[in-house]
Amino acid sequence: MTITRCTVSDLKALQTISIDTFHETYHADNTEKNIRDYLAVAFTDEKLTQELENPHSQFYLLHVEQAVAGYLKVNELSAQSEAMGDDALELERIYVDKVFQKQGLGKVLMNKALSIAAQLGKTRIWLGVWEKNDNAIAFYEKQGFEKAGSHEFYMGDEKQMDHIMAKTL
């Protein structure tokens, strides 16, 4: 298993795992149209390139043997999706392919995020998680995150609610 910093040269691998994992996680609880509309804008070449080139965001790919098993995206400063302060690091995405779930890889990516937060001198780490994603919420609670608020999220034309969860470092 290896974790490597993701660059624009990894765009297609990042895009593939993003789309596949997002669809697998959310398709059962959302309309196909809303999933399709979201994916049509969320993981385009242009959008991912912009995110990869943002100096306040970092992506890491997790490989198991030769396969991309998952990835991590963290944001600081102005790249955070909510204004949480300069002392906070946003854990925007931990995506693990369904084939590789329940193998401890989410924890590996979480530990990488915590290491990045420590290297950057952050005192808090936070994330947004869909209120109906019980598996992810249970995982984050097990990692010491607590609910700290909520914000709206749109899946296509449907307004949904994300829990904001945070952990003091």
Side-chain angles (χ1 to χ4, degrees):
M1 167 183 7
T2 59
I3 298 177
T4 57
R5 180 88 183 249
C6 187
T7 67
V8 174
S9 66
D10 300 305
L11 177 67
K12 289 303 177 190
L14 177 64
Q15 189 175 54
T16 298
I17 191 157
S18 295
I19 291 169
D20 291 351
T21 304
F22 190 92
H23 188 274
E24 179 61 40
T25 302
Y26 299 108
H27 82 276
D29 296 308
N30 291 279
T31 68
E32 192 59 38
K33 180 185 183 321
N34 281 345
I35 292 283
R36 196 173 46 251
D37 289 351
Y38 180 83
L39 291 175
V41 296
F43 302 117
T44 64
D45 288 356
E46 297 77 17
K47 178 95 163 60
L48 288 174
T49 298
Q50 181 183 24
E51 292 180 17
L52 284 162
E53 291 177 342
N54 187 321
H56 301 301
S57 295
Q58 297 178 43
F59 286 82
Y60 292 87
L61 291 176
L62 173 65
H63 291 87
V64 173
E65 297 177 10
Q66 300 304 316
V68 176
Y71 80 94
L72 166 71
K73 181 186 182 201
V74 295
N75 302 312
E76 66 170 329
L77 306 171
S78 61
Q80 295 180 89
S81 61
E82 297 277 338
M84 295 297 230
D86 293 352
D87 65 329
L89 182 73
E90 177 185 16
L91 172 51
E92 185 176 351
R93 295 182 204 133
I94 286 185
Y95 281 17
V96 177
D97 188 286
K98 184 178 183 179
V99 173
F100 295 98
Q101 290 180 2
K102 307 296 183 197
Q103 298 179 27
L105 300 180
K107 181 124 170 76
V108 169
L109 291 170
M110 176 62 73
N111 287 339
K112 179 65 175 175
L114 294 171
S115 173
I116 294 165
Q119 290 170 5
L120 294 172
K122 304 301 182 183
T123 60
R124 292 178 301 125
I125 188 166
W126 71 278
L127 55 91
V129 59
W130 187 34
E131 66 182 349
K132 294 182 182 178
N133 191 342
D134 295 331
N135 288 339
I137 292 168
F139 171 75
Y140 296 132
E141 287 174 340
K142 191 173 180 182
Q143 304 306 312
F145 284 78
E146 297 178 348
K147 187 175 177 196
S150 61
H151 64 201
E152 294 175 353
F153 173 84
Y154 278 86
M155 175 66 68
D157 63 2
E158 183 182 339
K159 181 171 69 171
Q160 299 181 356
M161 193 61 65
D162 278 358
H163 293 312
I164 293 176
M165 298 182 76
K167 177 178 179 171
T168 301
L169 304 175

